[in-house]
Amino acid sequence: MSDFTHQTAPTRFAEAGGVSYAYRRFGSGGDVPLVLLQHFRGNLDNWDPDLTDALAASREVILVDYAGVGSSSGAPSGSVAETARQIIAFTEALGLEQVDLLGFSLGGFVAQEIALVRPRLVRRLVLAGTGPKGAPGMHAWRADIESHARAQVNDADDLLYIFFAHTETSQALGREFLGRIFRRTEDRDAPTTVAVRDAQYDAIVEWGIPDHAALQRLTGIRMRTLILQGDDDLMIPTKGSHTMVGLIPDARIRIYPDAAHASLFQYPAEAAKDINEFLG
């Protein structure tokens, strides 16, 4: 579609349901674009350019802010189901009949919901650092993670604590990631607000309410699915990824070593290779 990269793609807007969705679209090749759904409190600038540019080398990549997040208008949603409907409306506004979906963390919750309520929209599904609705260990976060994740302003130390393993090697790779996401200097996205924090946290807590029956929903995800996870996610327990691969009929899993929540940002080249091979 264009010669734009993660750093140069302009922020565009699509109107749907009274919301103006901020998005960036770049890359070329392939028949099906890859839509990326972001984590708790994340905006367009929180994606790792090393990951997104590697993905965009062989397909179109579309980054989008949820309603009320970053530069998108509207109110932030306190429900995963409502957020999924909003993203479906966004894809319709762009005229996309089929997409591949990559959901990270909260974005993985939203991606699962879209795959279930609008299966014809999704060709293939990638779930990274995420977990299934109602699974054990999903109801909110442990106290230290919550204090960092819900800080009034997320700073570099907070992100390092919640996203990366508490080892010297993982923390060093985390600092490299932080350097990459601040490379873009022009047309940066608007920061997320405390209202986004509170609404998205409500959505996360609701998703995690213990509900064994909700796990059966995973058997309805019929498209091919790739699950990416660190070997010790401190935010969304790694065991949930094993639950997902056991219940989604056509799923495979890749566990990255010495990694926590943001394994795809710790190992962007490896993650891009795994995703590109899966989507190809």
Side-chain angles (χ1 to χ4, degrees):
M1 178 177 177
S2 72
D3 293 326
F4 292 126
T5 67
H6 180 104
Q7 308 294 16
T8 62
T11 303
R12 304 176 183 181
F13 295 90
E15 304 289 331
V19 174
S20 179
Y21 291 92
Y23 73 99
R24 295 178 187 152
R25 188 171 185 171
F26 54 100
S28 60
D31 298 324
V32 180
L34 174 64
V35 176
L36 276 63
L37 302 179
Q38 187 59 292
H39 62 76
F40 176 67
R41 302 180 76 171
N43 66 12
L44 300 175
D45 293 328
N46 287 113
W47 288 107
D48 188 333
D50 280 10
L51 175 71
T52 57
D53 282 340
L55 295 173
S58 52
R59 62 185 46 80
E60 270 194 276
V61 166
I62 300 173
L63 316 180
V64 59
D65 279 333
Y66 307 121
V69 175
S71 300
S72 289
S73 70
S77 172
S79 159
V80 170
E82 180 184 3
T83 306
R85 295 287 182 184
Q86 292 171 344
I87 293 299
I88 290 169
F90 164 75
T91 65
E92 291 172 342
L94 291 189
L96 303 176
E97 294 185 359
Q98 192 173 53
V99 301
D100 292 327
L101 268 186
L102 189 165
F104 170 44
S105 191
L106 169 62
F109 302 170
V110 178
Q112 291 172 63
E113 191 72 19
I114 293 171
L116 288 167
V117 302
R118 191 60 64 87
R120 63 179 167 78
L121 175 63
V122 184
R123 186 186 72 111
R124 291 189 182 173
L125 182 64
V126 181
L127 302 173
T130 194
K133 185 174 185 178
M138 289 289 296
H139 196 204
W141 300 312
R142 68 189 211 189
D144 59 328
I145 294 295
E146 180 173 346
S147 67
H148 284 275
R150 286 179 51 82
Q152 195 79 0
V153 178
N154 268 142
D155 62 18
D157 289 340
D158 292 319
L159 289 175
L160 286 172
Y161 193 93
I162 62 180
F163 273 4
F164 297 92
H166 297 170
T167 64
E168 289 185 10
T169 46
S170 183
Q171 291 287 302
L173 292 170
R175 286 189 288 273
E176 292 179 12
F177 158 73
L178 290 174
R180 292 192 296 271
I181 64 174
F182 289 107
R183 281 184 199 153
R184 184 180 176 117
T185 56
E186 297 182 5
D187 187 28
R188 285 189 67 84
D189 201 5
T192 54
T193 63
V194 171
V196 169
R197 178 198 69 181
D198 293 344
Q200 291 187 343
Y201 188 65
D202 284 348
I204 288 166
V205 171
E206 180 189 38
W207 181 265
I209 294 170
D211 183 357
H212 187 266
L215 293 174
Q216 297 308 306
R217 301 167 84 246
L218 292 170
T219 65
I221 296 178
R222 295 292 172 172
M223 63 286 300
R224 293 183 64 190
T225 301
L226 174 65
I227 296 164
L228 306 177
Q229 181 58 292
D231 60 356
D232 187 20
D233 190 335
L234 307 176
M235 198 170 204
I236 299 178
T238 299
K239 63 185 179 182
S241 290
H242 292 287
T243 299
M244 291 193 299
V245 77
L247 289 172
I248 296 172
D250 190 3
R252 65 183 74 171
I253 192 168
R254 173 79 156 89
I255 301 291
Y256 298 103
D258 184 34
H261 190 56
S263 60
L264 75 171
F265 299 158
Q266 178 168 328
Y267 301 113
E270 294 88 338
K273 180 176 183 292
D274 289 336
I275 294 166
N276 281 330
E277 288 179 355
F278 170 71
L279 296 179

